[in-house]
Amino acid sequence: MKQNTIVAVLTAAYLMSPAAHAIGAFSRACSMKELSDKWAYAASAQFFIALGAPASIADIPPSERVNYFVLESITADYGQTRYWLWAASEQYSASGEYRFSANRDYSRPVSWQRFRSLESPWGAYVFSDAINNSPTFQKGAIFNHNRRLLYSARAGVAKIVEKVNADLPATISLYSDNQFKGYGYFVRGTHYYHDPRRQKTLFYGLTKAQNCNLSEMGF
């Protein structure tokens, strides 16, 4: 890790929590199909586009959304910009037999293969005014639910949304009752923050995810 000397104020993470004045951390391995199944896809896509995803994701047909993922880890400071923040994200694809059913959680794959490790810069990033002031994301829009002022550091690719077998490596398929349900990815995050008042860099913890982790969006 290398500490930056400038706190950047940029558009960044789209993950929220009702907590204020506190450190938080989370990861996600989010299939766009999961978002499509649970929330309005159009609103989700427009928010990702505002944060830097390609505009083409708005036109992904429902049958193809299972092929698109968001893989990332985020360290957050809610309510104030007191700390320097940092996150790392180790990202894995599954191999071997991997099945789940309606009455059973995910079974363990034969192995997880790490295909990349990403790091955020040290900093404190915020939503841009264009996003905060946009009527698209206000007045009951899902991404404003339980929102508080958020500063964050994100370890993830700039384009946010990636395609299986194009941007992301091949992985095994998941099935339930012989029906294809998606692909197997796993994200492990490492989170630190630096307190300039005390001149200390502190380990916050590890996070893990195999899904969208929607509770960390404030839902």
Side-chain angles (χ1 to χ4, degrees):
M1 296 182 301
K2 185 175 181 180
Q3 183 171 330
N4 204 329
T5 56
I6 302 175
V7 176
V9 181
L10 304 170
T11 298
Y14 50 87
L15 303 157
M16 308 313 300
S17 165
H21 304 288
I23 295 291
F26 34 84
S27 292
R28 72 177 72 257
C30 181
S31 166
M32 297 298 283
K33 180 180 185 297
E34 183 179 348
L35 289 175
S36 180
D37 288 347
K38 298 184 179 182
W39 309 104
Y41 183 81
S44 304
Q46 288 303 314
F47 197 73
F48 297 148
I49 291 166
L51 292 170
S56 59
I57 70 168
D59 301 320
I60 300 171
S63 61
E64 288 294 313
R65 291 171 191 167
V66 70
N67 297 311
Y68 291 83
F69 276 78
V70 177
L71 306 179
E72 63 189 359
S73 300
I74 292 175
T75 307
D77 187 2
Y78 303 105
Q80 61 184 348
T81 177
R82 174 178 174 179
Y83 303 111
W84 300 82
L85 307 172
W86 184 86
S89 187
E90 295 182 340
Q91 301 179 357
Y92 300 78
S93 59
S95 62
E97 292 297 319
Y98 194 60
R99 299 288 184 268
F100 67 93
S101 61
N103 59 359
R104 185 179 177 186
D105 227 350
Y106 288 109
S107 60
R108 294 181 65 85
V110 171
S111 65
W112 290 105
Q113 304 294 324
R114 185 172 64 183
F115 62 89
R116 69 184 175 197
S117 298
L118 303 172
E119 295 183 6
S120 75
W122 280 93
Y125 299 78
V126 296
F127 290 105
S128 69
D129 289 341
I131 293 176
N132 284 326
N133 298 330
S134 171
T136 303
F137 308 118
Q138 295 178 1
K139 298 192 69 173
I142 59 174
F143 292 102
N144 270 345
H145 183 61
N146 286 338
R147 176 166 292 181
R148 299 292 187 271
L149 185 62
L150 170 70
Y151 300 86
S152 65
R154 175 180 180 270
V157 298
K159 65 186 295 185
I160 301 174
V161 180
E162 300 180 280
K163 187 176 182 180
V164 177
N165 291 325
D167 308 300
L168 296 172
T171 183
I172 62 174
S173 302
L174 309 181
Y175 289 86
S176 177
D177 300 325
N178 295 319
Q179 297 295 313
F180 175 67
K181 295 297 182 180
Y183 297 103
Y185 292 103
F186 171 72
V187 174
R188 182 173 67 181
T190 304
H191 308 271
Y192 280 83
Y193 64 100
H194 177 77
D195 186 343
R197 296 180 186 177
R198 295 189 292 162
Q199 290 295 304
K200 288 186 176 182
T201 299
L202 303 168
F203 173 63
Y204 181 77
L206 301 173
T207 57
K208 299 178 181 179
Q210 287 179 249
N211 56 32
C212 286
N213 216 348
L214 290 175
S215 64
E216 294 297 348
M217 280 188 176
F219 299 129

